[in-house]
Amino acid sequence: MPDAGYLIAATALCSVITWSLRALPFAALAPLRASGTVEYLGRHMPVGVMVILAAYTLRDIAPAQLLITGPALAVTLGLHLWRRNAVLSVLTGTALHVALTTIVAHT
């Protein structure tokens, strides 16, 4: 078994490396916070990612699944346009989709 000094040094080294790797992105991105490009991407990229994910999800949907997915998608979209809260709309739409899937599966 390794001695205590070796274990303490290994633990300290692992701690320093872990902390450095977690702090590095924040230190590297700090100068970019004032950038207009980063501000634009931060404002528009989440919507673009959600549109791509929705299109990818809906591309192979069977007509029978539209009875479940359609209302969940409509509620998600409507709630997001009304409240402008992505977390609320996504969680509500997901919960409705799961509920409808469960209901249809048990009938």
Side-chain angles (χ1 to χ4, degrees), residues 2-56:
D3 64 333
Y6 176 80
L7 293 175
I8 291 171
T11 303
L13 181 62
C14 288
S15 298
V16 167
I17 290 171
T18 300
W19 185 87
S20 299
L21 288 174
R22 291 180 185 225
L24 183 64
F26 295 102
L29 293 177
L32 296 175
R33 297 216 190 275
S35 168
T37 303
V38 173
E39 181 182 337
Y40 175 82
L41 288 174
R43 193 173 338 111
H44 296 288
M45 196 167 162
V47 174
V49 169
M50 291 304 291
V51 168
I52 290 169
L53 288 173
Y56 179 78

Side-chain angles (χ1 to χ4, degrees), residues 46 50 76 79-81 83-93:
M50 291 304 291
T76 302
L79 191 58
H80 185 71
L81 291 173
R83 301 298 295 180
R84 298 281 184 205
N85 186 333
V87 174
L88 176 66
S89 58
V90 169
L91 288 178
T92 304

Side-chain angles (χ1 to χ4, degrees), residues 95-107:
L96 179 61
H97 189 272
V98 169
L100 291 174
T101 302
T102 304
I103 291 169
V104 169
H106 290 326
T107 58

